[in-house]
Amino acid sequence: MKYKLTKPDKPSSNMIALTFALVIVYCLATAFSIVLLGQRSLISGNLFQLKNIISLIFNWRFILSMSLAILSRISFILINSTLLKIPYLSDIATTLSVIITLTSIIFILIANHYFLKESLNIKQAIGAFIVLMGIFIMLNK
């Protein structure tokens, strides 16, 4: 038997665009889920008392944050599913999904800086740039 070597198909630009859009949804949902729960007034009390936990669970910020966390998980699954449809990435789709979704750290740093007034230093900015470049290199095989 003779085997013919073929070059893997290039993914359609639609699949790459869809993956990119899903990553943005994932990053925004994750970042704002964390920002909503990061309000000092929401988490500064004694959360080891049942009445405070119940109060937290029925707080609108907590409910919205949990909804965004669910959206984040769904978008992760959709990212993984989309990567499975790209031939040269299908064997590592789940691992690549995890690596790609690490870009949410960048969104979290920026959101925390603007909404929670946390500091953003040069090391964090350089790290964010390195993560983005690594993902760009991985997706452009």
Side-chain angles (χ1 to χ4, degrees):
M1 266 189 208
K2 290 186 177 184
Y3 294 100
K4 184 178 178 183
L5 295 175
T6 59
K7 187 176 179 182
D9 296 333
K10 279 272 195 184
S12 71
S13 59
N14 290 342
M15 294 305 274
I16 298 291
L18 178 59
T19 302
F20 183 74
L22 288 169
V23 169
I24 296 298
V25 168
Y26 175 86
C27 290
L28 290 174
T30 302
F32 284 104
S33 174
I34 290 171
V35 165
L36 285 168
L37 287 180
Q39 295 291 328
R40 302 296 188 254
S41 61
L42 189 63
I43 59 174
S44 62
N46 182 0
L47 293 177
F48 293 101
Q49 293 180 344
L50 183 58
K51 69 175 184 156
N52 292 341
I53 290 291
I54 291 171
S55 175
L56 173 68
I57 290 171
F58 290 103
N59 183 290
W60 72 268
R61 288 180 185 199
F62 181 83
I63 293 168
L64 181 56
S65 177
M66 292 304 107
S67 300
L68 289 170
I70 291 169
L71 176 62
S72 175
R73 293 296 95 204
I74 291 169
S75 58
F76 175 84
I77 292 167
L78 293 174
I79 290 166
N80 197 14
S81 175
T82 305
L83 290 172
L84 281 170
K85 293 171 179 63
I86 301 173
Y88 65 86
L89 298 177
S90 64
D91 289 342
I92 59 166
T94 303
T95 301
L96 192 54
S97 295
V98 171
I99 293 168
I100 289 172
T101 55
L102 287 175
T103 58
S104 66
I105 294 169
I106 297 163
F107 282 70
I108 293 165
L109 289 172
I110 293 168
N112 285 350
H113 175 72
Y114 284 105
F115 296 106
L116 299 177
K117 307 299 182 214
E118 294 184 357
S119 64
L120 183 65
N121 62 38
I122 191 71
K123 286 181 183 179
Q124 291 168 326
I126 291 170
F129 178 76
I130 291 169
V131 168
L132 287 175
M133 288 296 92
I135 291 168
F136 177 76
I137 289 167
M138 285 184 345
L139 285 177
N140 288 305
K141 185 176 179 181

